[in-house]
């Protein structure tokens, strides 16, 4: 009975933490250059592992005015499928599972980042570090750069979930129903 | 001689017509092929960035990553319209979502993503 209950517990946890989809809308007239990471949504003892971030490309570039209105948003369903169905495919993820096991490069189709696997089941989209550039000149837009993190994710005690500067703003939020969590990263 | 000029002018005209046709075919973008419901759904999301729709000080203090109910409500009408545009009935929508705003928005998001992918594939095969 105990075993049965703990099995249910483990399954429930696995479902509860299923990675979920990330949608990044860049409504601004500047190019987004950034790195995006996922982490353990239930960090314990200041421990955010596992952490997964884009290795190739780095940074991810989402051009000006790329969003669901123009049908050119960044959408990651999971670490694997994104490679074939996203407009901004990540070919290699960097996976950190502990303080001594940092940034191991994993190709998109590697078993370590497969949907339903341990890493995938124990991470959720968590944040980004980005800077915006002028598409005409490639120059950085003054002040339009930030660290941003989903509230409650591992770094959110010191990284806000929204950002405002004279040239634009950004925010990250979730919309959840049952076990489905969709994470939105909006740049206005 | 006059005839030749006329012919040449005609040729230039017809060539330019052809080239114009090609140009209009090339602007078949995802944006132009989206349904009005998809368009309104996307624009509803963008409207979250409008000054009056930004998170209030109160909303900023909530201890959650979840979009506030006030802001979710801004997405619901366009989400419902997108779901209904696929042939789903009002009663089915109510039964499946129980009127839960998040369930409605997530369902609409899935429909949007699927339709968007279909349009992209269609453009790819046409070009």
């Amino acid at each position: 009975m105990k075993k049965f209950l703990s099995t249910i517990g483990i399954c429930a946890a696995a479902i509860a933490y299923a990675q979920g989809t990330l949608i990044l809308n860049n409504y601004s007239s500047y190019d987004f250059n950034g790195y995006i990471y996922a982490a353990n949504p239930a960090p314990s003892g200041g421990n955010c592992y596992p952490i997964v971030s884009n290795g190739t490309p780095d940074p991810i570039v989402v051009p000006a005015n790329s969003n669901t209105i123009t049908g050119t948003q960044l959408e990651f369903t999971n670490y694997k499928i994104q490679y074939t169905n996203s407009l901004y495919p990540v070919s290699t993820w960097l996976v950190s599972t502990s303080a001594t096991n940092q940034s191991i490069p994993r190709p998109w189709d590697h078993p370590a980042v497969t949907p339903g696997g341990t890493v995938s089941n124990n991470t959720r989209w968590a944040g980004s570090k980005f800077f915006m550039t002028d598409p005409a000149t490639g120059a950085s837009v003054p002040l339009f750069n930030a660290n941003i993190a989903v509230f409650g994710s591992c770094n959110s005690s010191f990284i806000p979930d929204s950002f405002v500067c004279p040239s634009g703003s950004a925010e990250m939020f979730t919309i959840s129903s049952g076990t489905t969590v969709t994470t939105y990263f909006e740049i206005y | 001689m006059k005839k030749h000029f006329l012919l040449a002018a005609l040729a230039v005209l017809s060539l330019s017509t052809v080239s114009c046709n090609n140009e209009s075919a090339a602007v078949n973008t995802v944006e132009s092929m989206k349904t009005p419901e998809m368009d309104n759904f996307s624009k509803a999301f963008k409207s979250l960035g409008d000054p009056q729709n930004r998170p209030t000080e109160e909303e900023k203090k909530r201890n959650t990553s979840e979009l506030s109910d006030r802001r979710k409500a801004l997405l619901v009408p366009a989400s419902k319209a997108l779901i209904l545009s696929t042939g789903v009935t009002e009663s089915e929508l109510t039964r499946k979502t129980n009127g839960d705003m998040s369930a409605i928005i997530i369902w609409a998001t899935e429909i949007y993503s699927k339709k968007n992918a279909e349009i992209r594939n269609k453009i790819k095969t046409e070009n």
Side-chain angles (χ1 to χ4, degrees):
Chain A
M1 187 62 187
K2 215 173 177 183
K3 208 174 189 179
F4 176 61
L5 280 180
S6 63
T7 311
I8 289 182
I10 290 167
C11 291
I15 295 164
Y17 297 162
Q19 190 182 359
T21 299
L22 172 76
I23 296 175
L24 187 166
N25 284 310
N26 180 6
Y27 304 109
S28 81
S29 49
Y30 306 115
D31 292 350
F32 165 92
N33 308 260
Y35 109 105
I36 298 172
Y37 62 94
N40 193 330
S44 56
N47 181 337
C48 303
Y49 302 110
I51 300 169
V52 181
S53 64
N54 53 294
T56 317
D58 181 20
I60 293 172
V61 176
V62 181
N65 198 29
S66 298
N67 51 60
T68 50
I69 296 174
T70 51
T72 50
Q73 74 282 5
L74 175 148
E75 199 166 328
F76 288 163
T77 328
N78 58 51
Y79 303 125
K80 185 178 183 180
I81 295 172
Q82 58 80 27
Y83 185 72
T84 41
N85 72 4
S86 178
L87 284 173
Y88 311 92
V90 170
S91 59
T92 308
W93 295 102
L94 300 179
V95 180
S96 303
T97 50
S98 73
T100 52
N101 200 349
Q102 292 281 323
S103 302
I104 311 296
R106 300 293 194 192
W108 61 277
D109 55 352
H110 192 278
V113 288
T114 208
T118 313
V119 168
S120 174
N121 279 349
N122 290 292
T123 48
R124 189 177 292 157
W125 301 109
S128 173
K129 186 177 183 177
F130 68 94
F131 62 97
M132 307 298 284
T133 52
D134 184 325
T137 63
S140 293
V141 181
L143 302 176
F144 206 169
N145 57 78
N147 259 323
I148 187 167
V150 173
F151 186 93
S153 65
C154 66
N155 293 325
S156 65
S157 58
F158 54 91
I159 299 178
D161 63 356
S162 64
F163 166 80
V164 182
C165 75
S167 305
S169 65
E171 64 172 337
M172 283 186 102
F173 57 79
T174 59
I175 296 181
S176 322
S177 171
T179 54
T180 312
V181 178
T182 307
T183 308
Y184 291 88
F185 184 4
E186 311 275 82
I187 300 166
Y188 309 104
Chain B
M1 191 60 189
K2 220 176 183 180
K3 214 174 184 179
H4 275 139
F5 269 124
L6 265 173
L7 270 175
L10 252 175
V12 168
L13 256 176
S14 58
L15 272 176
S16 57
T17 318
V18 167
S19 90
C20 285
N21 278 343
N22 283 344
E23 273 165 27
S24 66
V27 295
N28 252 350
T29 59
V30 175
E31 192 166 10
S32 67
M33 287 169 77
K34 276 191 327 189
T35 65
E37 289 82 8
M38 289 172 78
D39 204 36
N40 289 337
F41 175 72
S42 320
K43 285 177 177 159
F45 264 95
K46 189 188 179 189
S47 79
L48 293 177
D50 294 348
Q52 72 276 20
N53 298 337
R54 295 281 172 92
T56 60
E57 284 310 310
E58 195 123 306
E59 284 168 339
K60 279 183 194 164
K61 282 182 203 143
R62 299 170 318 137
N63 286 328
T64 173
S65 63
E66 194 73 1
L67 189 69
S68 70
D69 282 350
R70 177 185 71 93
R71 300 178 81 205
K72 275 182 190 170
L74 299 167
L75 306 172
V76 168
S79 299
K80 276 188 176 169
L82 179 57
I83 296 168
L84 296 177
S85 75
T86 63
V88 171
T89 63
E90 284 270 7
S91 58
E92 265 178 287
L93 196 156
T94 312
R95 186 167 45 81
K96 281 197 178 166
T97 61
N98 245 332
D100 176 52
M101 291 198 288
S102 304
I104 294 168
I105 298 163
I106 287 178
W107 189 0
T109 303
E110 283 162 4
I111 292 170
Y112 172 89
S113 295
K114 196 167 155 259
K115 281 179 173 269
N116 192 41
E118 282 166 9
I119 293 172
R120 266 170 50 197
N121 284 336
K122 206 174 161 203
I123 292 173
K124 223 186 260 173
T125 47
E126 275 173 2
N127 289 340

